[in-house]
Amino acid sequence: CAGPAIARVTRSNAGRRPCAARVPAPYSPPMPNSPTAVPVADPMAEERPSASGLAWRWAAVGGVAFGILAFGAPAGITAPSWRLFAIFAATIVGSIVRPLPAGAVVFLGVCAIAVTGTMSPADSLRGYADPIVWLVLCAFFIARGVLKTGLGRRIAFLFIKTLGSRSLGLSYALISTDALLATIVPSNSARAGGIVFPVARSLAEAYDSTPGPTARRLGAFLMATVYQCDVVCCAMFITGQASNVLIAKFALDAAGYEISYAKWMLGSIVPGVVALLLVPLLIYRIYPPEVKHTPHATEFAREELAKLGRMSRNERMMLMVFVLVAGLWITQSWHSIHYAVVALVGVAVLLLTRVLDWDDVMSQRAAWDVFVWYGGLVRMAEALGETGITKRFAEVVAGATLGWPWWAALAVLLLIYYYAHYGFASITAHATAMFTPFLVVTMGAGAPATLAVLGLAYFSNLSAGLTHYGTTPAPIYFGARYVTQREWWRIGFTVSLVTIPLWAVLGFTWWKL
């Protein structure tokens, strides 16, 4: 038992018990206001580019805007509409290359719309009055409650206690935690990054798997598997990640197709559950861990649950709000209470019961950042749809598929849409730039609305598994340095060869039924 505080196990797969005295407790990020807080990686932090890097990023943003303006508005498109398109396109490019954080880029876009007279100040800011924007903001505050009370960690250990006797079962336990929290927590960085990742990393270290020569013992498998399944969890619920509500609004505006919380979940539940079962098996086959048996992970979970003790009063209140909000969202068609009102009530209960205090609300950088860019993008995308530019683009693109059967056009466009995510660093930028025009084109080719809307909505999330920058948790898991970039991309592409036909064949069949 000598050495650093990390359990040593044999190199065989016998799964012998590591020294109990040296099994590290799962890392849990300290609360921001805690006097014992130590510096930890901040997923909201932006890497500062060099001066030359910053120059070409701004050049790309300005080049797009001025290039579109120099081209001139086509016949039938007004000058303000074309100016709006230039600002919108520059904002999307800025969200990709990021000369500033994404929220700041959108803020500048909103300012440009108002300053240039493209829209009136009241009209420019109307997106921030949209109830959907407040729904997402409140859901982030609820996610803060899950983290603060420790309910998320308790759920993770309960799953590990039940499923964690083998490395494959351990991955299913971590994935189940993410999937359960995705029913109400729209921040995949809070779920996968703030709750699941620290537990996964501690379990890997407990079996002497650290970045470098021992990465393949257990850690590399867990990091790759949990991330690939996190994007499936994102696709399964409208609260899977922040952009899903935006996608639902695009579908309503462009096609008049409403996706409620229950409809989104009902459409994804069968292909989603099957994907969560198959993806870990696939990665276990193509990227297996050296340690196959982890019988003492369950004992480890029991010890951690014993340390946590009985559920505290705040945990019970958090669980009550969790069930209340999720239940009201699922049954919205029965009581007609708007989703945003349900979220507001949930946060109000947490504040009244002192599970959250006002400092918790004000300190949520991620929530307020999403509020800024979300409200701005909602309004810009909505206004752009009213100009007729999106329809004109769809008519041009549809010419390439003229005469094709609708199913062939849908298949090709879905594949293009999926693999286009290699060029995007977030689901939001991808969906904002491509969802509406691709939806209009596929429906113009004769594809049924359900297939077109749900196919594009779910693929918006699933495609984030391709790269190590596809969505917010990707840099967190990749940054743990267990998996090389080459392996990460290979795994992402291989998984796509399974998830695309799975969701296309099984998903389409399920939606038909």
Side-chain angles (χ1 to χ4, degrees):
C1 290
I6 292 179
R8 303 292 177 187
V9 296
T10 62
R11 296 292 175 184
S12 70
N13 292 335
R16 295 176 185 171
R17 192 186 195 286
C19 172
R22 290 175 11 229
V23 175
Y27 169 77
S28 179
M31 294 297 106
N33 298 324
S34 168
T36 61
V38 297
V40 296
D42 183 1
M44 287 297 298
E46 296 279 346
E47 181 182 356
R48 294 183 181 274
S50 63
S52 59
L54 192 62
W56 79 256
R57 295 183 192 196
W58 279 119
V61 175
V64 167
F66 289 113
I68 291 173
L69 291 174
F71 185 80
I77 302 297
T78 63
S81 297
W82 193 246
R83 194 161 56 244
L84 172 64
F85 174 58
I87 296 172
F88 178 79
T91 302
I92 297 303
V93 171
S95 299
I96 297 171
V97 300
R98 298 201 177 200
L100 291 174
V105 171
V106 174
F107 181 83
L108 293 178
V110 173
C111 289
I113 290 172
V115 168
T116 59
T118 303
M119 291 191 292
S120 67
D123 207 23
S124 303
L125 298 171
R126 200 170 73 193
Y128 297 104
D130 194 309
I132 297 299
V133 178
W134 284 89
L135 160 65
V136 175
L137 180 67
C138 290
F140 268 84
F141 297 151
I142 294 173
R144 168 64 176 172
V146 173
L147 281 167
K148 181 182 179 181
T149 61
L151 179 63
R153 288 186 68 220
R154 184 181 294 275
I155 292 171
F157 288 130
L158 286 171
F159 278 119
I160 293 170
K161 176 184 173 183
T162 305
L163 303 172
S165 60
R166 298 177 65 90
S167 54
L168 185 60
L170 201 57
S171 69
Y172 282 127
L174 297 171
I175 293 160
S176 299
T177 304
D178 192 15
L180 178 61
L181 295 176
T183 60
I184 194 171
V185 177
S187 170
N188 54 345
S189 59
R191 294 192 324 264
I195 296 174
V196 178
F197 172 75
V199 176
R201 186 178 66 179
S202 292
L203 288 168
E205 292 176 352
Y207 279 86
D208 197 22
S209 180
T210 56
T214 61
R216 290 294 300 273
R217 287 183 59 75
L218 183 61
F221 168 73
L222 290 181
M223 297 300 161
T225 304
V226 172
Y227 176 70
Q228 290 297 328
C229 289
D230 176 63
V231 299
V232 177
C233 296
C234 290
M236 288 181 66
F237 304 97
I238 202 169
T239 51
Q241 54 88 23
S243 305
N244 285 348
V245 184
L246 186 65
I247 290 170
K249 184 169 180 59
F250 290 161
L252 182 62
D253 292 342
Y257 189 94
E258 183 176 3
I259 317 178
S260 64
Y261 182 98
K263 183 180 288 187
W264 187 297
M265 183 177 67
L266 181 63
S268 68
I269 196 68
V270 170
V273 169
V274 174
L276 291 180
L277 293 173
L278 289 183
V279 169
L281 287 171
L282 172 65
I283 299 177
Y284 191 80
R285 180 69 179 272
I286 65 174
Y287 198 64
E290 295 173 7
V291 174
K292 302 295 194 299
H293 300 276
T294 55
H296 303 295
T298 56
E299 184 177 342
F300 184 31
R302 289 192 189 96
E303 293 171 357
E304 291 301 318
L305 287 170
K307 292 177 184 177
L308 289 174
R310 299 179 61 183
M311 290 185 70
S312 65
R313 175 255 185 194
N314 283 355
E315 278 186 278
R316 291 195 299 272
M317 290 303 305
M318 187 65 247
L319 182 61
M320 183 196 76
V321 171
F322 190 105
V323 173
L324 173 67
V325 172
L328 289 175
W329 279 346
I330 293 171
T331 58
Q332 198 268 344
S333 61
W334 298 352
H335 51 69
S336 300
I337 302 175
H338 194 277
Y339 298 111
V341 175
V342 173
L344 287 167
V345 169
V347 174
V349 172
L350 293 177
L351 288 170
L352 289 171
T353 56
R354 304 305 296 271
V355 174
L356 291 178
D357 53 44
W358 194 243
D359 286 340
D360 291 319
V361 172
M362 297 305 296
S363 67
Q364 290 307 288
R365 293 177 55 207
W368 294 109
D369 179 69
V370 168
F371 180 80
V372 170
W373 64 251
Y374 204 76
L377 284 181
V378 162
R379 181 60 195 130
M380 279 193 276
E382 183 181 56
L384 190 66
E386 296 168 354
T387 63
I389 293 175
T390 302
K391 183 179 179 182
R392 181 72 62 85
F393 170 82
E395 290 171 351
V396 173
V397 174
T401 59
L402 188 65
W404 290 22
W406 67 262
W407 55 266
L410 178 63
V412 170
L413 291 169
L414 282 177
L415 285 174
I416 294 172
Y417 186 84
Y418 191 104
Y419 287 110
H421 198 80
Y422 278 116
F424 291 93
S426 76
I427 297 173
T428 304
H430 185 188
T432 305
M434 299 183 68
F435 183 89
T436 298
F438 269 64
L439 175 60
V440 174
V441 170
T442 52
M443 292 187 63
T450 298
L451 297 187
V453 170
L454 296 186
L456 290 169
Y458 297 141
F459 276 25
S460 297
N461 292 275
L462 297 171
S463 60
L466 290 171
T467 66
H468 60 296
Y469 52 80
T471 185
T472 307
I476 299 173
Y477 281 79
F478 177 75
R481 297 182 294 113
Y482 279 92
V483 185
T484 65
Q485 180 177 328
R486 179 180 178 183
E487 289 296 329
W488 193 280
W489 281 46
R490 181 180 72 87
I491 293 169
F493 181 74
T494 304
V495 170
S496 76
L497 299 180
V498 174
T499 54
I500 289 175
L502 171 64
W503 285 75
V505 177
L506 181 59
F508 285 13
T509 304
W510 169 240
W511 304 337
K512 178 66 174 177
L513 292 174

